[in-house]
Amino acid sequence: MRKRFLIVLLVLPGIAFLTTFLPFPGSKLGPGPVISLRLLDRDGVLLREVLSDEGGRCRWVRLEDVSPHLLKATIAAEDKLFFFHRGVRLLSVLRALRQNLRHGGVVSGASTITQQLVRTLYPGRRNIWAKLREAWLALRLERTLTKQDILVQYINRISYGNQVYGIEAASRLYMDKPSSQLSLAEAAFLAAIPRSPTRLNPYRAPSALKKRQVDILAKMSELGFVTEAARDRAGSEELLLLPAAERFRAPHFCDFVLSQFPQAERQGLSAIETTLDYGLQQKIEILLRNNLGGMSGRGVSNGAVVVLDNGTGEILSLVGSRDFFDESHAGQVNGALALRQPGSALKPFTYSLALEKGLTAASLIDDSPAQYGNMEGSYRPQNYDRRFHGLISLRAALACSYNIPAVALLQAIGPDLLYLRLHSLGFASLKQDPGYYGVGLTLGNGEVSLLELVRAYAALARQGTYLRERSIVGLLRKDGEKEPVPIREAAKPVISPQVAYVITHILADQDARTPSFGYHNPLTFPFSVAVKTGTSKDFRDNWTVGYSPRYTVGVWVGNFDGEPMHNVSGISGSGPLFKDIMVLLNKGEARTWFVEPEGIVTAKVCPRSGLKPTEACPGVVNEVFVDGTVPLQMCTYHRERSCTNLVAKEKDELPTSARFEVTFPRSGDTFKIDPVLRMEHQRIRLRAAVPATEGIAKVEWWINGDKIGEAPFPFSFFWNLRPGSFTIKATAVRSGRVLESPPVKVVVLT
Ligand SMILES: [Zn+2]
């Protein structure tokens, strides 16, 4: 048994050694197709030139095409014994194995140029077996190719960071010159990158790279490749690195476009014409940086913006982060595609379902404490302002973004329907079952992307028609053929034009959101904009999404690491940036209101009950309705209340109790000041029930402890509304005794 084991132990390495005489597969060593793919904006501005990718080269260079400095610098940097070993250095393989056993992972990076080449030809996991296989393949490669050919393969295939492969592409990207013209300083700089293209990225870590360049120059001098004088001169030479902003315009957008083409397909293309407006993109990048700069003290480090043209669905601008090359804030994460909780930003879609079920903008919804069960137990939704607002109109509930009414509506509609609605509007990221989200879906407990939100809001702007956004308009093939890009999904109606219009009308109603957002908020516009904000739990994410008739804009601010922000709401975080972008977009645009579809009617309703107004109603408001849903019922609220005071004729309806009390308004009543109506008309008639009128000459009326007037029979008194909270009281004197009504508390909203 033991003998057999020994034989195996001796024979196996022998066989392995013999197999290294097998020739290296030649198919792996072909030069690969030439890549030069230009990404253009909608006016032909060059956004990026892809010079190489993992499958293709910019141009296959021979040793004599490359600056000799580069070859020497590469050997000094990576493998000074390159011309003397047979593909592997046994000592360093053994050291790597020992470190592997000790640390449980490959630690040592000192592999030969041949081994590194094998690794680029066979990318994959790096474990102990991969390391042994790599050494075996390196031995085979050395038997197949000359040292010169191995070096050619290496400099043409190795990664130089920023998705650039091969020295020719690297030289043109960073230095804007062919690799034959590289100076000693430039050659040492570029030769420094392959050791760790990420850690030594020229755009993100220029100082670390400079340090390694100096080290490489020193090694070159030690090896006798350069004189000490040349070393010192090169070390102090100022390098003119082409700025990243020039080479990587709209970087997240370009990555997004390229991700839509498999590598094989890219190789047949010479240009991609995109929908981006680079002039606009640059302005938005600056606005984003400026706005984030103003929030630096509040723990906000990043933001993202998407702008769509409503008519065509074309992406005009997509900014994924503040700075693509800022590694300390994960700048390469594309904030337009990252999945985050949208807070209240999905509420309009809940309300669109409610309107389809027959509710109207004037319907009353109860904003009172409520409790819901879900799988994790029960929960009570809370409003942002931690208050309850009683019966409020659907318009107010959506415009003020109260949570309780939204949850109550979704409970009645069923979360499944919202889930289906969101999917038909393109929220593919909601991958769980509807039951997983439950009614919390309307409060944003599912994670979605900014692009998805903008896509869905653009459907509202388009009168309910969903259209997949586009980023590419045309393709230029290498053979000169021009190819338009077909539209992947046909436009489809999802929400009726009338319902979409009512939602738009509410989201564009600056007065309706005032109770929640205040008069002076950044979401007031001198032109038509429908807008909604969202803030995720603990202020981690902050959104503003909205549209003018022509453009849909989405803004996210937050942190990629999920750190909460301090005191940032939709209004103070993403709101000002949203406004800046909308103003920029609509400069010079005709100021039109959203197109009103057929089947919309405007009618007057009582602001308190949402029903047909009566004489007794305290003013009326205009409301928009889907034809056929205008309320026909007279306001019962004010008729009932006022009847009790029509003293003479309807005595039988008088309260039977002997209480002296205020009968209108009632405690808890809320009034809203109509922004259109003149203030002097905005008054209510205070009424009191006086059980036995004999002996009472007059009733005195008090607001917040101040007497505002007195009224003889029938004792009612007009009070002009003003914003605030009020306690109303009536007093009277009978037989020398003062009667006092219980206080009535009301709120008047602006
Ligand atoms: Zn009324």
Side-chain angles (χ1 to χ4, degrees):
M1 191 65 195
R2 189 163 188 172
K3 205 165 151 192
R4 199 180 291 172
F5 181 72
L6 266 175
I7 291 170
V8 168
L9 208 65
L10 288 171
V11 167
L12 268 185
I15 293 173
F17 176 74
L18 284 175
T19 56
T20 61
F21 285 91
L22 288 169
F24 195 86
S27 61
K28 282 274 176 191
L29 302 172
V34 174
I35 294 274
S36 172
L37 173 55
R38 288 170 308 132
L39 270 71
L40 307 170
D41 94 332
R42 60 191 303 116
D43 300 316
V45 174
L46 179 66
L47 300 175
R48 185 188 296 183
E49 185 172 13
V50 182
L51 295 165
S52 65
D53 63 26
E54 281 167 87
R57 309 297 119 206
C58 169
R59 186 166 72 85
W60 190 262
V61 287
R62 299 166 303 168
L63 279 193
E64 50 271 39
D65 297 333
V66 181
S67 156
H69 295 310
L70 187 271
L71 301 175
K72 288 176 189 162
T74 300
I75 285 167
E78 295 298 331
D79 189 1
K80 61 182 179 191
L81 297 174
F82 174 66
F83 284 102
F84 306 101
H85 61 64
R86 307 301 307 268
V88 290
R89 292 200 301 273
L90 196 60
L91 272 179
S92 59
V93 171
L94 289 176
R95 193 170 59 231
L97 285 178
R98 202 186 68 205
Q99 284 179 348
N100 190 283
L101 291 175
R102 197 176 289 170
H103 302 283
V106 176
V107 186
S108 171
S111 33
T112 64
I113 281 179
T114 322
Q115 283 169 299
Q116 290 182 44
L117 174 58
V118 168
R119 208 179 301 144
T120 23
L121 294 170
Y122 294 91
R125 284 163 49 102
R126 294 189 63 198
N127 53 31
I128 186 159
W129 296 112
K131 192 85 190 158
L132 285 171
R133 180 167 172 265
E134 181 185 294
W136 176 69
L137 284 164
L139 290 169
R140 283 175 65 188
L141 189 55
E142 289 270 348
R143 296 191 199 282
T144 310
L145 295 184
T146 64
K147 284 286 181 188
Q148 279 77 9
D149 286 344
I150 290 171
L151 200 53
V152 168
Q153 290 280 340
Y154 180 85
I155 58 167
N156 275 293
R157 291 189 192 278
I158 202 79
S159 166
Y160 286 90
N162 294 309
Q163 293 146 20
V164 163
Y165 297 83
I167 187 61
E168 187 62 19
S171 182
R172 284 179 52 188
L173 174 78
Y174 299 122
M175 305 298 172
D176 202 22
K177 57 165 75 167
S179 60
S180 58
Q181 291 172 21
L182 291 172
S183 71
L184 175 59
E186 291 165 341
F189 187 81
L190 294 182
I193 304 170
R195 170 64 55 92
S196 176
T198 313
R199 197 169 47 80
L200 297 169
N201 187 315
Y203 293 135
R204 283 187 249 147
S207 51
L209 193 57
K210 175 73 196 168
K211 192 172 162 290
R212 183 160 154 77
Q213 179 223 28
V214 172
D215 290 348
I216 290 170
L217 287 167
K219 263 192 198 160
M220 290 175 80
S221 149
E222 277 168 33
L223 291 167
F225 292 169
V226 294
T227 63
E228 285 181 7
R231 174 197 70 192
D232 294 345
R233 243 190 345 267
S236 56
E237 190 179 315
E238 185 92 22
L239 288 180
L240 287 175
L241 191 65
L242 223 66
E246 299 248 321
R247 285 309 202 180
F248 292 90
R249 291 172 164 169
H252 283 116
F253 175 78
C254 288
D255 282 355
F256 172 67
V257 167
L258 287 170
S259 73
Q260 298 170 45
F261 294 91
Q263 234 164 60
E265 209 177 318
R266 271 187 226 175
Q267 287 161 3
L269 298 174
S270 71
I272 301 174
E273 295 171 341
T274 72
T275 57
L276 195 91
D277 178 340
Y278 186 61
L280 176 70
Q281 173 88 1
Q282 279 179 301
K283 288 179 189 149
I284 290 178
E285 284 172 358
I286 292 168
L287 288 176
L288 174 67
R289 274 200 296 277
N290 289 350
N291 273 273
L292 287 174
M295 287 189 277
S296 53
R298 291 190 280 166
V300 186
S301 69
N302 242 312
V305 177
V306 176
V307 178
L308 286 190
D309 182 312
N310 295 334
T312 58
E314 291 176 351
I315 299 177
L316 299 178
S317 175
L318 186 153
V319 184
S321 69
R322 183 215 295 251
D323 179 2
F324 186 78
F325 290 99
D326 177 6
E327 206 162 3
S328 61
H329 293 111
Q332 292 206 314
V333 175
N334 188 342
L337 303 179
L339 298 183
R340 327 218 130 241
Q341 293 203 341
S344 300
L346 295 180
K347 280 181 188 156
F349 307 107
T350 302
Y351 283 87
S352 76
L353 290 167
L355 293 175
E356 283 168 15
K357 297 271 170 206
L359 292 192
T360 71
S363 298
L364 293 183
I365 308 173
D366 195 7
D367 181 11
S368 301
Q371 188 167 323
Y372 299 92
N374 68 2
M375 282 180 291
E376 285 136 39
S378 66
Y379 88 107
R380 296 162 168 276
Q382 284 279 351
N383 286 328
Y384 189 76
D385 60 4
R386 305 261 155 202
R387 286 169 51 192
F388 304 102
H389 308 89
L391 284 174
I392 51 172
S393 70
L394 181 145
R395 172 178 290 269
L398 172 57
C400 295
S401 201
Y402 296 135
N403 289 335
I404 296 164
V407 173
L409 283 179
L410 190 56
Q411 178 75 15
I413 295 163
D416 291 19
L417 281 185
L418 176 61
Y419 178 85
L420 292 174
R421 163 69 34 104
L422 293 175
H423 266 268
S424 57
L425 288 167
F427 285 97
S429 300
L430 297 171
K431 290 203 168 69
Q432 308 286 342
D433 294 333
Y436 173 86
Y437 305 107
V439 287
L441 188 54
T442 193
L443 302 184
N445 67 2
E447 296 195 327
V448 301
S449 73
L450 180 63
L451 184 60
E452 286 173 325
L453 279 172
V454 171
R455 183 188 292 161
Y457 274 75
L460 286 174
R462 238 177 260 123
Q463 300 202 340
T465 298
Y466 167 86
L467 181 65
R468 183 79 181 195
E469 75 283 351
R470 310 181 76 196
S471 54
I472 302 159
V473 271
L475 301 174
L476 273 173
R477 304 218 152 268
K478 285 238 167 75
D479 53 22
E481 201 84 356
K482 191 168 171 172
E483 206 176 280
V485 174
I487 291 164
R488 279 184 295 169
E489 283 175 58
K492 64 169 191 234
V494 174
I495 302 170
S496 83
Q498 293 77 25
V499 165
Y501 181 77
V502 174
I503 295 287
T504 299
H505 201 280
I506 296 172
L507 295 181
D509 185 344
Q510 310 197 4
D511 296 316
R513 60 173 166 263
T514 307
S516 180
F517 292 30
Y519 264 120
H520 299 288
N521 69 67
L523 301 183
T524 52
F525 292 89
F527 49 89
S528 318
V529 176
V531 60
K532 185 77 196 69
T533 61
T535 304
S536 72
K537 260 186 243 150
D538 308 327
F539 299 99
R540 284 177 201 285
D541 304 282
N542 184 269
W543 315 77
T544 304
V545 194
Y547 46 95
S548 65
R550 186 148 177 215
Y551 303 102
T552 298
V553 175
V555 176
W556 166 83
V557 301
N559 299 308
F560 286 134
D561 58 9
E563 270 297 302
M565 304 172 280
H566 323 303
N567 299 321
V568 175
S569 67
I571 284 286
S572 63
S574 49
L577 176 55
F578 176 89
K579 179 164 187 172
D580 287 351
I581 295 169
M582 264 298 175
V583 168
L584 173 71
L585 285 167
N586 284 278
K587 214 172 265 177
E589 290 274 323
R591 299 204 165 163
T592 50
W593 176 248
F594 298 96
V595 175
E596 185 182 302
E598 273 182 37
I600 288 287
V601 289
T602 303
K604 290 184 178 4
V605 293
C606 164
R608 185 68 187 83
S609 64
L611 297 172
K612 206 169 175 177
T614 66
E615 290 274 294
C617 293
V620 293
V621 289
N622 283 317
E623 187 52 276
V624 291
F625 294 91
V626 178
D627 199 2
T629 64
V630 178
L632 301 173
Q633 195 191 348
M634 299 297 283
C635 173
T636 47
Y637 185 87
H638 294 115
R639 198 179 59 198
E640 278 169 8
R641 298 289 162 90
S642 54
C643 280
T644 56
N645 295 293
L646 294 175
V647 185
K649 294 174 197 160
E650 299 175 35
K651 273 200 172 139
D652 50 341
E653 277 196 39
L654 284 173
T656 49
S657 75
R659 275 169 72 89
F660 172 54
E661 62 179 342
V662 176
T663 53
F664 182 80
R666 293 290 200 179
S667 253
D669 280 356
T670 305
F671 299 90
K672 186 177 183 306
I673 289 182
D674 188 319
V676 182
L677 215 60
R678 287 222 303 277
M679 274 314 281
E680 60 262 37
H681 297 311
Q682 307 212 33
R683 52 183 194 173
I684 57 171
R685 194 196 287 268
L686 306 176
R687 299 168 197 276
V690 184
T693 53
E694 288 86 357
I696 293 182
K698 62 185 185 192
V699 164
E700 296 182 348
W701 288 96
W702 304 75
I703 301 279
N704 291 351
D706 296 328
K707 184 175 162 184
I708 55 161
E710 44 193 33
F713 181 84
F715 311 125
S716 61
F717 187 79
F718 278 112
W719 172 50
N720 281 73
L721 293 176
R722 61 179 196 271
S725 301
F726 301 97
T727 304
I728 302 170
K729 237 166 44 182
T731 59
V733 178
R734 180 164 53 199
S735 322
R737 219 178 102 229
V738 176
L739 304 177
E740 190 174 312
S741 75
V744 164
K745 288 182 192 303
V746 301
V747 174
V748 181
L749 303 175
T750 50

